């Protein structure tokens, strides 16, 4: 196909814009914040599990303490009742001995229960501290996730602005180019990823492969208004003064 040499050169600008768009898309898909957030969410889950585990410990201890409390109260009531009986002085000597024996037993029991309760209270205090630490860790990680989320949004907003710019630049370029040349460029781009490349130092700018002498000789003899495709990748091979085509070329573009 034929196309004005200047229009062919403009394809290099179009290819640069498309490469920039690809770079932006890659950046949007590989934000460091995404990996950071995934990592933090994993940590947050483990930390939440830990916090729940400690909360259950506190609940268990509260239940045990309440149970002991009730037992302490019951023992105390029983003790009061026995003492009241003793003070009333209405019991016989046999019952008196039994009451005194029971009272000593109740006192021992009470002392054991109070020790147990004290021990549970101390353990609870330690577990509550652990619970507070676990909650603080969860909150700190959540704050980090939120901060990373905000940075992620900012990065995506920057990328969106850059994309908007490349889209406008691209539309302006495409408008200036012949439709059939753009269509050919798009076909080549769809096939190999890059639509056009500059021929320079015997290499194709799209695939970077060094082209063979026979092919380059043919290119040198081809009019600049004829669209040439890379022998290796199929991209439109744009020739400029930088292409260093040998003297005697059929028609050097510049
Ligand atoms: Zn190529």
């Amino acid at each position: 196909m034929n196309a004005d040499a200047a229009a062919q050169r403009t394809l290099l600008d179009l290819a640069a814009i498309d490469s920039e768009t690809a770079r932006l898309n890659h950046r949007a898909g590989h934000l460091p914040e995404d990996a950071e957030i995934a990592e933090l969410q994993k940590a947050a889950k483990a930390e939440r599990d830990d916090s729940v585990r400690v909360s259950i410990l506190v609940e268990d201890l509260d239940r045990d303490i309440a149970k002991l409390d009730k037992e302490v109260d019951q023992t105390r009531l029983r003790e009061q009742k026995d003492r009241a009986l003793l003070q009333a002085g209405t019991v016989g000597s046999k019952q008196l001995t039994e009451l005194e024996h029971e009272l000593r037993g109740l006192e021992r029991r009470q002392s054991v229960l109070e020790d147990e309760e004290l021990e549970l209270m101390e353990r609870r205090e330690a577990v509550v501290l652990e619970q507070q630490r676990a909650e603080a860790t969860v909150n700190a990680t959540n704050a980090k996730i939120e901060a990373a989320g905000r940075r992620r949004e900012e990065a995506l907003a920057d990328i969106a602005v850059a994309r908007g710019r490349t889209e406008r630049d691209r539309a302006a370029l495409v408008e200036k180019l012949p439709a059939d040349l753009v269509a050919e460029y798009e076909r080549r781009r769809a096939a190999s990823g890059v639509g056009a490349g500059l021929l320079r130092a015997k290499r194709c700018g799209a695939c970077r492969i060094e082209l063979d002498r026979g092919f380059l000789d043919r290119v040198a003899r081809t009019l600049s208004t004829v669209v040439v495709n890379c022998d290796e990748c199929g991209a439109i091979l744009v020739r400029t003064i930088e292409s260093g085509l040998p003297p005697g070329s059929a028609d050097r573009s510049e």
Side-chain angles (χ1 to χ4, degrees):
M1 83 179 264
N2 293 323
D4 176 57
Q8 289 188 54
R9 285 196 298 277
T10 304
L11 289 181
L12 293 176
D13 298 334
L14 194 58
I17 288 174
D18 286 338
S19 144
E20 171 67 4
T21 302
R23 197 185 64 78
L24 290 171
N25 288 343
H26 183 269
R27 214 181 114 202
H30 298 80
L31 286 177
E33 285 82 6
D34 281 330
E36 192 188 336
I37 289 169
E39 199 62 35
L40 283 168
Q41 273 165 347
K42 217 166 76 186
K45 193 195 172 299
E47 287 161 9
R48 272 197 305 275
D49 289 350
D50 195 45
S51 173
V52 167
R53 181 187 61 81
V54 180
S55 296
I56 289 171
L57 274 183
V58 174
E59 281 168 25
D60 287 350
L61 281 168
D62 280 344
R63 201 165 39 240
D64 291 348
I65 289 168
K67 220 170 96 188
L68 268 177
D69 252 353
K70 213 170 138 191
E71 230 181 309
V72 166
D73 284 348
Q74 282 166 350
T75 312
R76 192 178 293 129
L77 273 177
R78 185 77 186 270
E79 226 181 302
Q80 281 165 0
K81 215 175 107 195
D82 285 3
R83 282 192 204 288
L85 269 175
L86 272 181
Q87 275 161 12
T90 52
V91 293
S93 67
K94 185 169 176 279
Q95 210 190 343
L96 190 72
T97 316
E98 278 171 11
L99 265 179
E100 281 170 343
H101 179 74
E102 189 180 281
L103 261 175
R104 278 195 299 277
L106 286 172
E107 276 165 11
R108 277 197 303 274
R109 177 80 189 128
Q110 188 77 335
S111 159
V112 167
L113 289 176
E114 278 168 4
D115 284 352
E116 269 179 38
E117 195 173 4
L118 198 68
E119 200 190 308
L120 285 184
M121 300 288 271
E122 278 170 6
R123 208 186 307 163
R124 185 187 188 278
E125 218 170 289
V127 176
V128 164
L129 274 182
E130 204 185 322
Q131 185 186 28
Q132 285 165 355
R133 267 198 302 270
E135 276 169 12
T137 308
V138 167
N139 290 341
T141 303
N142 283 339
K144 279 185 203 163
I145 291 173
E146 276 172 29
R150 280 194 296 275
R151 274 185 279 118
R152 181 182 182 276
E153 291 308 311
E154 283 163 17
L156 285 178
D158 287 348
I159 291 171
V161 168
R163 266 185 188 153
R165 203 165 42 225
T166 54
E167 272 167 31
R168 281 193 301 278
D169 291 351
R170 191 181 205 280
L173 275 187
V174 166
E175 208 180 330
K176 285 194 294 188
L177 290 167
D180 60 344
L181 183 63
V182 172
E184 168 70 359
Y185 170 89
E186 294 296 6
R187 259 196 307 279
R188 299 298 174 174
R189 187 162 82 101
S192 66
V194 183
L198 170 65
L199 172 62
R200 182 164 52 187
K202 297 180 188 166
R203 287 178 192 276
C204 159
C207 64
R208 314 265 172 212
I209 293 175
E210 188 170 334
L211 302 164
D212 73 56
R213 181 191 288 265
F215 173 74
L216 287 170
D217 285 348
R218 277 205 308 284
V219 171
R221 286 195 302 273
T222 308
L223 288 174
S224 64
T225 49
V226 173
V227 174
V228 174
N229 296 97
C230 168
D231 223 12
E232 300 289 343
C233 71
I236 295 171
L237 204 53
V238 178
R239 291 157 288 165
T240 70
I241 192 138
E242 280 184 75
S243 300
L245 291 173
S249 299
D251 163 31
R252 302 266 294 286
S253 57
E254 268 173 55

